[in-house]
Amino acid sequence: MIEIRNLVAGYGANPVLRNVDLEIRQGELVSVIGPNGAGKTTLLRTISGLVRPSSGEVTMDGQDLTRLNPDEIVALGVVHVPEGRMVLTRMTVKENLMIGAFKRSDNGAVKRDLDRAMGMFPILGERIGQMAGTLSGGEQQMLAIARGLMGAPRLLMLDEPSLGIAPIIVSNIFKVIKEIQAAGVTILMVEQNATKALAAADRAYALDLGSVTASGPADALLKDERVRQAYLGL
Amino acid sequence: MIVLEYAISGLLFGATYSLVAIGFTLIFGVLNRFNIAHGATLMVSAFAGATISILLGGADSYLVLILAFVGSVIAGAIVGLLVRLVAFVPLRNAAALSPFVTSAAVALILEELFLHLTQQVPIYSVEVTEFPSPLENLAFFVGDLYIRGAYLVIFVVALVIMALLHWWLNHTKSGLAIRAVEENPDVAWLLGINGHRVEIMVFAAASAIAGAAGCLIGVAYGSVSPFLGSNLLLVSFVVLVLAGIGSVRGAMICGLFVGVIETVTAGTISSETKEAVLFIILFAVLVIRPQGIFAGAASTRD
């Protein structure tokens, strides 16, 4: 589905990503783990078009994404849920959800997806008229994911969905992420919480200083001695 | 009684300050940049309206007045889009203050251009160019209170514009997109909103509103001049600082407030004192509530 080759990208003169190769197949849940500053967020921002790569390829089903604007990439079904939740705090929960479907004109399906999102996260249904800024961190993360789903994604990219959220809610969020995958959405997840990310994923990549240092099936990486020392702290 | 009359006039005329300040704050909200050419946009639009009115003999035709108004609004949108193209687009990745300088330069160029035009074009006059309108001498009494027809028309038109703007921002898809870009441009892009298109939309709308204000002010004064805009920009700065930058509703209310203060001061003390009083109030607000009176309300945006 997504094919990334020799990707070099960053801000200014110093590339954050150095020759990254990565592949995501239809229906997979792929995790990218690595410490702060490894280039995980830049990877997602490059795929979603917020960062223009200086060289290399990003293609989706053979189509070049590097020349498209972010809104065009969203229209292709690639939806990026950014780090730190980034819900629109001055809008209601409902408005946040509806704006997630900004690119869509199939009103009936949007309405169905709205009901489905609230089914997945009942708390959002209860808070539907509230300003998003009044939600707790965990609720905002749920809203951010639900908003991403409103875009009818083929590929959903999640940046640090567990960051700064109470452990009990993190488990709940990971459960929902698996449900989303089961519903047929391909997922690329970036996480510092490597244990949880590997447990949830089909395949994974370890990123350090902008380069892929390990990759393979997630359970193989969980057992890999190097990965365990470097990323799991075991 | 006379003070009440001044206050009413100020309130009615203050609606134009609200319009100017709203346009200015809308552009700031979306681009996070000041458009110093906003006043010059208003001035050019006012000239466009005046020109239509002069050429078509607008002294006693309401139809011509409406045409002049439409002309001003369209001129405002066009000038605004040109300002964006010249002063903002090339500097998208430059320092935040760069468009401040380029838009100020555009404002100076437009002022000089119209100063020159008023000397060359026969239908314009050097100091003040006439803006003929049937509202010029219209007035009536409410009880003992004398009210100028032009002010009442201004007030009603301004309220209609503000109501439309409020509806647009809060109840349409494009309004939702504008509010998203206002809060977080990157996230807006990730939601599939083309930030550049929103910029164009907002520049056109804000400048069209400035154009409407230019026409209304020209009609109220009965004249236009090349420096009409720079004075108004200063007043709308005061409105914005009072309101809290980014608050559309605050800009509406504070525009009216500033209108009242100005007119009452000019009427009861002297017209030279009005700016002084305005800035004393500004100073007091900055000391007591530096984020502006409506800064809290801005975050709820109702």
Side-chain angles (χ1 to χ4, degrees), chain A residues 45 48 50 69-71 74 79-80 82 86-91 95 98-105 131 147, chain B residues 170 173-177 179-180 182-184 186-194 196-197 298-301:
Chain A
R45 287 172 69 89
S48 57
L50 282 178
N69 282 328
D71 59 315
V74 172
V79 176
H80 176 175
M86 302 285 173
V87 297
L88 297 162
T89 55
R90 297 192 293 241
M91 290 186 192
E95 284 176 320
M98 290 314 286
I99 208 169
F102 187 78
K103 273 283 177 187
R104 300 168 65 190
S105 46
M131 287 291 157
R147 184 181 65 184
Chain B
N170 289 291
K173 203 169 174 180
S174 51
L176 201 61
R179 285 156 59 210
E182 243 181 345
E183 182 163 345
N184 192 329
D186 270 5
V187 166
W189 276 109
L190 292 182
L191 295 170
I193 295 163
N194 186 318
H196 300 157
R197 247 175 257 154
S299 61
T300 59
R301 245 172 218 293

Side-chain angles (χ1 to χ4, degrees), chain A residues 15-76:
Chain A
V16 178
L17 299 175
R18 308 153 197 263
N19 290 312
V20 169
D21 290 301
L22 190 145
E23 187 199 355
I24 306 161
R25 298 181 208 122
Q26 187 82 42
E28 272 187 325
L29 198 170
V30 174
S31 284
V32 176
I33 58 171
N36 237 335
K40 305 188 298 295
T41 294
T42 305
L43 175 67
L44 295 196
R45 287 172 69 89
T46 310
I47 298 173
S48 57
L50 282 178
V51 174
R52 292 248 185 249
S54 33
S55 68
E57 286 175 28
V58 180
T59 59
M60 175 158 152
D61 302 327
Q63 184 180 4
D64 183 8
L65 296 188
T66 58
R67 262 175 264 273
L68 300 180
N69 282 328
D71 59 315
E72 296 167 311
I73 293 174
V74 172
L76 290 175

Side-chain angles (χ1 to χ4, degrees), chain B residues 5-262:
Chain B
E5 224 169 75
Y6 288 138
I8 290 173
S9 293
L11 181 77
L12 298 178
F13 187 72
T16 59
Y17 296 157
S18 304
L19 289 181
V20 181
I22 286 168
F24 194 75
T25 208
L26 265 182
I27 293 177
F28 179 80
V30 165
L31 282 93
N32 211 19
R33 306 278 187 274
F34 289 115
N35 176 17
I36 304 303
H38 197 64
T41 304
L42 178 147
M43 179 273 293
V44 174
S45 318
F47 264 95
T51 309
I52 291 172
S53 194
I54 292 169
L55 291 180
L56 300 180
D60 38 35
S61 162
Y62 281 96
L63 179 68
V64 172
L65 179 62
I66 291 169
L67 281 178
F69 181 79
V70 172
S72 285
V73 169
I74 294 172
I78 293 171
V79 174
L81 290 176
L82 290 176
V83 166
R84 170 180 178 269
L85 221 52
V86 172
F88 288 83
V89 173
L91 296 169
R92 184 162 282 140
N93 299 316
L97 271 181
S98 314
F100 190 97
V101 178
T102 49
S103 63
V106 170
L108 286 176
I109 291 167
L110 288 174
E111 280 177 2
E112 286 301 319
L113 175 71
F114 272 80
L115 198 58
H116 194 68
L117 283 178
T118 52
Q119 287 155 358
Q120 303 295 324
V121 180
I123 61 164
Y124 298 153
S125 330
V126 179
E127 284 285 312
V128 285
T129 297
E130 195 197 358
F131 194 140
S133 89
L135 299 176
E136 185 89 53
N137 298 313
L138 188 70
F140 49 88
F141 285 89
V142 176
D144 288 339
L145 294 170
Y146 169 85
I147 293 175
R148 277 194 64 192
Y151 283 7
L152 198 65
V153 170
I154 285 174
F155 189 70
V156 171
V157 172
L159 281 193
V160 169
I161 293 173
M162 288 187 251
L164 283 174
L165 182 70
H166 189 270
W167 173 80
W168 184 41
L169 288 178
N170 289 291
H171 299 284
T172 67
K173 203 169 174 180
S174 51
L176 201 61
I178 292 171
R179 285 156 59 210
V181 174
E182 243 181 345
E183 182 163 345
N184 192 329
D186 270 5
V187 166
W189 276 109
L190 292 182
L191 295 170
I193 295 163
N194 186 318
H196 300 157
R197 247 175 257 154
V198 167
E199 252 181 60
I200 292 172
M201 212 155 59
V202 163
F203 248 101
S207 304
I209 292 172
C215 180
L216 296 175
I217 291 164
V219 167
Y221 289 173
S223 67
V224 292
S225 89
F227 301 108
L228 181 67
S230 44
N231 295 332
L232 282 162
L233 193 68
L234 191 66
V235 175
S236 74
F237 255 128
V238 175
V239 172
L240 284 183
V241 175
L242 285 180
I245 287 170
S247 165
V248 171
R249 198 182 58 160
M252 289 182 193
I253 296 166
C254 287
L256 302 180
F257 173 70
V258 166
V260 172
I261 297 294
E262 249 199 25

Side-chain angles (χ1 to χ4, degrees), chain A residues 198 201-204 214-228 232:
Chain A
L198 290 177
D202 301 312
R203 283 188 314 113
S215 67
D219 43 5
L221 254 64
L222 258 179
K223 290 182 197 121
D224 186 304
E225 206 44 54
R226 261 181 333 129
V227 172
R228 287 170 70 88
L232 306 178

